[in-house]
Structures are given as C-alpha cells and as structure tokens.
Amino acid sequence: MSTDPRVRAWVEVNSSALRQNFECVRNIVGPGIGILPVVKADGYGLGLTELVRALEPFAPWGYGIETVGEGRKIRLLGVKRPVLLLAPIPPGEVEAAIDSGLRIGISSIDALER
C-alpha cells in the first residue's frame, strides 16, 4: 500500500490562478467595492495560510472565517484588515474573539446580549 497521500485524492492550489480570479472579480465589481474572500474550513481544504498569503498583496477588504481559531491564525500571519466570523460563536469564545480583533456576526438575540 502506498504512503503517498495523493494516491487517494489531493488538491493543488495555483496561487497565480487564485490571484487572477480575484482580479477578475475586482474588475467586474469595480475598484470601490470591498471583496471578502471566505477562507473558512481551512480555505475549504485548500489551506487557509496559503490562500491568505496569496491574496493579501491584493488588499481584499477582509476575510470571512468560521472559528476563532481561524481568526487567530490569520492574525498570526500579520493581517490587520477585518476578519469576520460568519458562524455563530460559542459563548466561551467571545472574549478570545474580541482580544484577537475579530468582527463577530450577530445571528440571534442571545449572541447580541453576549
């Protein structure tokens, strides 16, 4: 049996194609519109770090994430732009999200009160 993980399935991210796609979207929506790449779930399996590093030179408005851990990871890369939590945040993670400078999406009255 092979130990090569690509025997079953794999994805290779072409940073050049990713940047081209970003520029294509920017050309369609115009320069004054903020673009929020959603990089949750480890960049949908493509690698959050790789995607953010590839897109950061193009100055997106911010990044969309699902967990506080993903937000921390983006902050550790040195990203200062908005990082928006798109999923409900567990009550115990509100303070960590605030400390990391994440923007918390409000999806319920309970979340608003927290």
Side-chain angles (χ1 to χ4, degrees):
M1 176 181 257
S2 175
T3 59
D4 184 345
R6 295 175 297 167
V7 169
R8 181 176 163 127
W10 76 94
V11 174
E12 293 180 18
V13 178
N14 181 320
S15 295
S16 175
L18 178 66
R19 289 187 291 264
Q20 262 186 321
N21 288 345
F22 185 89
E23 283 296 305
C24 181
V25 170
R26 177 170 278 152
N27 289 335
I28 290 169
V29 300
I33 303 298
I35 300 173
L36 181 80
V38 177
V39 295
K40 65 181 189 158
D42 195 31
Y44 292 96
L46 300 174
L48 180 140
T49 298
E50 293 81 357
L51 294 182
V52 170
R53 283 187 176 149
L55 293 172
E56 191 60 13
F58 291 85
W61 178 83
Y63 296 96
I65 57 165
E66 185 174 6
T67 68
V68 173
E70 291 170 338
R72 282 190 190 133
K73 194 171 187 180
I74 291 173
R75 291 294 184 228
L76 288 172
L77 294 172
V79 173
K80 303 291 185 210
R81 61 187 83 255
V83 177
L84 182 65
L85 276 158
L86 302 174
I89 184 170
E93 293 193 26
V94 172
E95 190 172 317
I98 293 168
D99 290 345
S100 296
L102 308 180
R103 295 189 182 195
I104 302 171
I106 304 298
S107 59
S108 70
I109 297 298
D110 289 339
L112 178 61
E113 289 171 352
R114 283 195 298 269

